[in-house]
Amino acid sequence: MFIVDSVQDIQDMARGAVLLGTGGGGDPYVGELFVRAQIKNGRYPKVLSCDEIPDDAFVLSIAGIGAPSVIVEHLVSEKTLHRILARAEAFYGRRVDALISAEIGGANSMFPLALGAISGIPVLDADGVGRAVPHIEMTTFSIYGCKATPGIVMDDSGNVVTIEAVDDRMAEDLCRVVTGAMGAMSFGALYPMTGKQAKSFAVQRTITQTLEIGRAIRTAREDSRDIFESLIDYLNSWDNRTARILFDGKITDVTHDTRDGWHFGRVTMTGLQESSDECVVEIQNEFLVCRLNGKTITIVPDLISILDRESGEPLTGEMLTYGQRVKVLGYSADPMLRRPESLEVLGPRMFGIDEEFQPIESLFASA
Amino acid sequence: MSGSGFRLGIDVGGTNTDAVLMRGREVLATAKSFTTADVRSGVVNAVRMILDKAPEHRASIEAVMIGTTQFVNAFVQRKGLAPVAIFRVSLPKADGVPPLAGWPDDLVEVAGSHIYMVGGGALYTGKDYAPLDEDALRAAAEDARAKGLKAVAISANFAPIRPDIEEKAAAVVQAVMPDARITISSKVGGLGLIDRENAAVINATLAELSERVIGSLQTAIADLEINAPIYISQNDGTLITTETASAFPILTCSAGPTNSIRGAAFLTGLDEAVVADIGGTTTDIGFLLRGFPRETTAANYIGGVRTNFRMPDVLSIGIGGGSLVRKGEGGWTVGPDSVGFRLAEEGLIFGGETLTASDIAVRAGQAEIGDPAKVAHVPDETVEAALDNLHQQIEDAIDQIKTSNHPLPLVLVGGGSILISRALKGTSEVLKPAHAEVANAVGAAIALVSGRVDKLYDVGAMGREDALEQARKEATDAAVAAGAREGEVEIVEIIELPMTHMKSGSVQIRVRAVGPLAALA
């Protein structure tokens, strides 16, 4: 158990959440500001590891759903957070014992902490994917049988829609349509689960991971140590996980395109030192695949992040522009995401990429 | 306009006020004077020196272009700022992140926490999700008036696509607070409520000061009997009118480095280079790319407050003519602290008792200022060690700002360029062009006029080409409205950002158009 009682901790977490957002997931800044204001008023989020709750505890995800560019206008309403909790408890007929993030990458790392701060309900140190993904059915919760619905979706004006879908693929479609009608932003109470399910199906210790990633970057910067060395050392300190710097260069082209509610894009980079190496990262909301001179070196669900090469600040897809100097980071996904049943849902083919998943360890043996 | 092409460029910096008289591409006369607390007399002094050198041109001056760091300095130093009544039209949305969230505590204190949130706002579609709550707004304005507040910032949800909501709110507030200076957010920022609202609040804190400073600039030019329109440099190196600058001082916040980089480009004819502006206290190192400063891409902070302004990507290090030279455990070091404008009293060459970087430069024979006899006693080893340290620091900074190992020319501008005497690693050559000491004022004098648009377009319904065409036209019209010559406006930047999780086809489009000043036909 730990208490988030410093503004610096929440800033570190937000920085780490952008890295795990792999280019998507929305900027956590809005949620970070909300929690910072709570911390200044002495209302601290409490984080529990999954072992610290009973098997029969009632656990729920609170998530912002919508377009990153709409969230930055509508921000977040404290009243709405209170209301969705009250509606959810009435709907499920029981008190919520703990909150859990559906995806730790991006904005949804912060909303459970925000509600935790104002309600006193603890937040679990875990989430449903350990990165960001574009669909409701792409979480380990869904994959291992803990469905997203029945759940509720609501907006700030007080519109509430309850959703009960036959499967999570359909839940995604329904949430998307409802959110569209609400102005492309809503809040959802989803993935009702037991403490036992959270222990078995969630990706563990990911709030800690966001905090420690953000801290590794910040402290290296403050002490004028090598930021990327510090970051890679930290990421590799996790059992069964491997981090590599995939590329060091500058952006020579960025394209963006929206089709059917997806953000498609491509970032092209070339090496800094008169090198002819070309690195391309394909975007579909998140960074999906990284290719060096045409050869795949990291592919979804393994993580790809792009960071400013001077400050080490992780960047979202929207922030990338021509001329930026960046480093591309590859990080093996949590082992749970690399199992066959997971790859069926969030492997390369689910994003229209005609390639088999191969782990970063075999694609990119050494830097 | 007679078309003589004479113009006066002026840079009002923190320490110096520089002036330059130009005709076409030719620099006719330059002058340097101290900046004064009233701004006016510093400008009058500098321009008088010019007119003394070229009195026959007074009547031919067709435009006066002024760049100033007065506003950004005031904000960064928290001096002369007005407390602000902040009205946000957003309820039932956004109450969890109120205005001033994320501001440094000392600034919150200066701005005051006079925050009023009322109902109203629009969705991205442009549709109202709640009507403007005029009664609540009126009551809030009455409260602000009772507190004696005179500066007002107004923000609303999706104001960039529904500016009418803020305009209506401004009318309601103005009726209750007739003396208030009101900044509405859609005039100072694009999408992103927090950053746009921050810009509006910063602007409101400066509104009173800007009216005073712009007024003194106008008085100065009138006192000098120069009968020509005055323009002010804005962040991207283009010009705005004095009315616009007076109402929107925030638009000038990074004009200083922009003008020095553009001035360096003009004076050398280079298109791509590293530019180091060495002043009394700091060296600002920027990157010239295709004739303009390279801009930052991440969020930008002004005095610790996040905004969505794009700023020149400038690295500041504590090296300047007034930097202290001291021996520490690791040997001799230069800076980062400086005697600043007290150099004229405290430097050894001026009879003072502090060893500064300028003293080292004079002792090394790199410059002839003050009295060289007063530094004759400084040992050679000290001079060498201090110069080693100083050049090393500048080399490190150059390396950080560059995008590749490929050596590039380095252009030195500003009064402190006398400090540099050696070849620098990572550079192909070191240039000190003529008039480098007034590069800022040159940058102001050669400025263009720009127009911008930053909005959501329904590309699905309009088609991409039509949407882009409309955005280009809106930006071009904005440039012409700002004084650019019709028919010569060019589109210099187009950025498209698609909106995910929305029906296919909503795209945020940003376009910037620039053109020469019509007044200089």
Side-chain angles (χ1 to χ4, degrees):
Chain A
M1 194 269 283
F2 66 95
I3 305 280
V4 184
D5 58 0
S6 91
V7 168
Q8 187 162 73
D9 281 353
I10 202 76
Q11 288 175 303
D12 286 342
M13 285 177 177
R15 183 176 301 115
V18 174
L19 187 144
L20 295 180
T22 65
D27 191 340
Y29 184 60
V30 166
E32 175 202 320
L33 283 182
F34 183 100
V35 181
R36 271 162 67 171
Q38 301 310 320
I39 289 173
K40 281 190 182 166
N41 292 326
R43 299 200 280 186
Y44 308 128
K46 183 164 82 174
V47 180
L48 293 182
S49 97
C50 285
D51 315 333
E52 293 174 282
I53 56 164
D55 281 355
D56 64 350
F58 180 48
V59 179
L60 188 66
S61 270
I62 296 294
I65 305 171
S69 41
V70 172
I71 296 175
V72 297
E73 275 297 319
H74 291 335
L75 312 184
V76 55
S77 161
E78 183 170 343
K79 281 206 186 99
T80 302
L81 289 177
H82 278 301
R83 261 201 322 233
I84 196 164
L85 177 64
R87 286 302 290 245
E89 291 187 333
F91 177 70
Y92 295 112
R94 58 181 298 187
R95 300 296 299 269
V96 174
D97 299 310
L99 300 165
I100 191 165
S101 168
E103 57 170 355
I104 203 71
N108 277 322
S109 58
M110 290 291 149
F111 294 126
L113 292 167
L115 180 55
I118 58 174
S119 67
I121 297 175
V123 181
L124 294 182
D125 189 1
D127 79 301
V129 71
R131 47 169 292 156
V133 282
H135 280 190
I136 282 174
E137 78 276 11
M138 291 178 172
T139 62
T140 52
F141 304 154
S142 281
I143 293 163
Y144 291 98
C146 167
K147 285 174 58 185
T149 69
I152 58 179
V153 173
M154 72 185 291
D155 67 11
D156 298 311
S157 298
N159 298 298
V160 182
V161 176
T162 60
I163 294 180
E164 190 165 351
V166 292
D167 59 32
D168 280 354
R169 177 61 247 186
M170 192 64 199
E172 167 67 30
D173 289 348
L174 294 173
C175 283
R176 194 170 280 255
V177 168
V178 168
T179 300
M182 288 173 169
M185 182 177 169
S186 66
F187 278 89
L190 300 165
Y191 302 109
M193 68 183 88
T194 62
K196 188 166 193 301
Q197 286 174 310
K199 289 170 205 189
S200 328
F201 305 153
V203 180
Q204 303 296 324
R205 291 186 59 228
T206 49
I207 291 188
T208 297
Q209 196 176 40
T210 61
L211 173 66
E212 292 178 347
I213 287 172
R215 194 180 276 163
I217 294 171
R218 174 178 54 80
T219 54
R221 202 187 282 163
E222 284 169 1
D223 306 343
S224 302
R225 284 181 284 120
D226 186 319
I227 296 167
F228 291 91
E229 200 179 291
S230 157
L231 180 61
I232 295 277
D233 284 351
Y234 169 71
L235 293 172
N236 281 328
S237 75
W238 281 63
D239 283 346
N240 306 318
R241 303 285 296 268
T242 302
R244 302 244 193 278
I245 296 298
L246 303 176
F247 197 70
D248 180 0
K250 63 178 166 187
I251 297 176
T252 53
D253 192 36
V254 188
T255 61
H256 297 286
D257 183 22
T258 321
R259 294 196 300 271
D260 310 321
W262 290 78
H263 172 197
F264 291 85
R266 167 190 290 223
V267 191
T268 309
M269 292 154 279
T270 55
L272 288 181
Q273 299 165 21
E274 302 294 304
S275 115
S276 58
D277 283 343
E278 186 179 79
C279 179
V280 173
V281 171
E282 303 280 353
I283 309 173
Q284 201 169 313
N285 287 13
E286 282 79 37
F287 303 137
L288 284 190
V289 54
C290 177
R291 296 194 179 97
L292 180 62
N293 300 324
K295 180 185 170 293
T296 297
I297 52 174
T298 299
I299 192 159
V300 66
D302 281 350
L303 287 75
I304 299 162
S305 303
I306 300 182
L307 300 92
D308 182 284
R309 83 183 288 274
E310 306 303 335
S311 67
E313 203 60 32
L315 305 168
T316 63
E318 289 95 359
M319 292 161 81
L320 301 175
T321 56
Y322 174 87
Q324 250 170 333
R325 294 145 295 162
V326 296
K327 287 192 185 185
V328 184
L329 172 83
Y331 192 33
S332 62
D334 185 274
M336 223 192 303
L337 269 59
R338 296 167 140 202
R339 295 178 193 154
E341 59 271 29
S342 295
L343 294 174
E344 262 173 43
V345 181
L346 43 65
R349 292 191 199 282
M350 299 313 292
F351 297 88
I353 301 171
D354 194 19
E355 280 180 50
E356 288 302 324
F357 169 75
Q358 284 189 70
I360 182 174
E361 297 89 328
S362 59
L363 287 173
F364 197 75
S366 64
Chain B
M1 283 296 153
S2 61
S4 71
F6 282 96
R7 60 223 143 125
L8 195 56
I10 301 171
D11 178 71
V12 184
T15 315
N16 290 309
T17 296
D18 304 337
V20 57
L21 179 67
M22 293 184 70
R23 176 182 199 177
R25 300 185 56 83
E26 192 187 350
V27 176
L28 299 173
T30 67
K32 212 172 191 49
S33 171
F34 284 111
T35 298
T36 52
D38 70 346
V39 176
R40 192 194 60 85
S41 26
V43 170
V44 169
N45 292 342
V47 176
R48 280 246 159 84
M49 287 186 228
I50 294 250
L51 293 176
D52 287 349
K53 291 177 195 171
E56 71 279 14
H57 295 318
R58 183 193 304 261
S60 318
I61 294 171
E62 290 188 331
V64 180
M65 287 93 152
I66 306 176
T68 177
T69 51
Q70 292 285 310
F71 305 125
V72 67
N73 289 349
F75 192 76
V76 169
Q77 295 163 14
R78 284 85 162 114
K79 277 181 190 158
L81 307 183
V84 181
I86 306 166
F87 301 94
R88 183 198 279 174
V89 182
S90 72
L91 297 181
K93 292 189 185 294
D95 61 60
V97 185
L100 304 182
W103 282 48
D105 293 340
D106 60 338
L107 261 178
V108 172
E109 207 161 297
V110 175
S113 288
H114 312 292
I115 293 168
Y116 306 93
M117 290 202 259
V118 303
L123 300 175
Y124 80 95
T125 54
K127 203 173 91 182
D128 281 355
Y129 60 77
L132 174 64
D133 187 342
E134 293 189 35
D135 292 340
L137 186 58
R138 214 168 280 121
E142 274 157 17
D143 186 71
R145 184 185 59 192
K147 286 182 180 170
L149 298 167
K150 295 268 192 285
V152 170
I154 297 176
S155 62
N157 247 255
F158 273 110
I161 43 174
R162 283 291 306 280
D164 59 297
I165 297 174
E166 289 186 341
E167 284 155 13
K168 191 170 166 195
V172 171
V173 171
Q174 195 83 72
V176 179
M177 307 171 71
D179 302 334
R181 292 183 184 82
I182 301 177
T183 306
I184 63 173
S185 78
S186 52
K187 296 274 191 196
V188 291
L191 290 176
L193 176 62
I194 296 170
D195 297 349
R196 184 176 73 244
E197 178 181 77
N198 283 349
V201 178
I202 293 174
N203 194 67
T205 64
L206 293 168
E208 206 179 290
L209 179 73
S210 69
E211 206 164 299
R212 203 164 65 232
V213 170
I214 300 292
S216 13
L217 292 172
Q218 287 171 314
T219 314
I221 301 304
D223 287 354
L224 289 158
E225 291 166 21
I226 294 169
N227 184 21
I230 304 170
Y231 297 92
I232 308 292
S233 306
Q234 67 171 331
N235 299 336
D236 64 0
T238 61
L239 299 169
I240 48 179
T241 62
T242 46
E243 296 80 58
T244 305
S246 180
F248 301 107
I250 191 166
L251 299 180
T252 71
C253 274
S254 65
T258 302
N259 279 346
S260 88
I261 293 170
R262 299 239 318 128
F266 178 85
L267 292 171
T268 56
L270 291 171
D271 213 32
E272 188 174 352
V274 177
V275 178
D277 186 346
I278 309 182
T281 307
T282 59
T283 295
D284 295 334
I285 300 181
F287 198 94
L288 171 69
L289 196 64
R290 296 184 294 272
F292 281 87
R294 184 178 71 208
E295 293 184 320
T296 55
T297 44
N300 287 292
Y301 289 82
I302 301 178
V305 177
R306 200 172 108 147
T307 70
N308 50 14
F309 279 99
R310 298 192 66 187
M311 300 281 181
D313 189 359
V314 169
L315 182 67
S316 275
I317 57 169
I319 297 269
S323 293
L324 301 187
V325 178
R326 279 170 301 196
K327 189 168 189 179
E329 277 172 28
W332 288 90
T333 58
V334 182
D337 30 2
S338 165
V339 297
F341 66 89
R342 296 187 313 276
L343 176 62
E345 295 118 53
E346 298 192 13
L348 296 181
I349 44 174
F350 298 112
E353 291 178 357
T354 312
L355 180 61
T356 66
S358 293
D359 298 318
I360 297 290
V362 170
R363 171 67 179 74
Q366 293 169 200
E368 290 172 25
I369 45 171
D371 181 357
K374 296 212 160 79
V375 288
H377 66 280
V378 179
D380 283 346
E381 304 83 73
T382 305
V383 173
E384 281 304 301
L387 287 175
D388 284 349
N389 179 263
L390 181 155
H391 284 84
Q392 180 67 48
Q393 289 192 55
I394 304 242
E395 280 178 349
D396 288 349
I398 289 170
D399 188 52
Q400 277 188 54
I401 204 87
K402 276 176 53 180
T403 41
S404 78
N405 279 352
H406 184 64
L408 281 173
L410 170 72
V411 185
L412 294 176
V413 298
S417 53
I418 53 160
L419 303 182
I420 304 299
S421 56
R422 303 178 182 171
L424 290 161
K425 208 164 56 188
T427 65
S428 56
E429 56 183 327
V430 178
L431 299 165
K432 290 187 204 175
H435 314 302
E437 71 288 355
V438 292
N440 274 316
V442 171
I446 59 166
L448 306 170
V449 193
S450 78
R452 261 177 205 266
V453 63
D454 182 356
K455 278 195 204 174
L456 281 175
Y457 290 85
D458 189 346
V459 172
M462 301 173 75
R464 178 165 177 270
E465 275 316 306
D466 284 357
L468 283 176
E469 189 47 45
Q470 190 181 330
R472 277 193 213 107
K473 183 175 182 314
E474 285 177 38
T476 305
D477 290 349
V480 171
R485 197 183 319 161
E486 220 163 342
E488 288 189 30
V489 177
E490 276 182 80
I491 304 294
V492 294
E493 179 182 276
I494 299 179
I495 295 177
E496 294 169 75
L497 283 178
M499 308 279 285
T500 55
H501 289 80
M502 274 187 194
K503 65 178 177 169
S504 189
S506 290
V507 176
Q508 182 183 346
I509 303 180
R510 282 184 213 154
V511 178
R512 191 158 64 99
V514 304
L517 205 55
L520 287 175

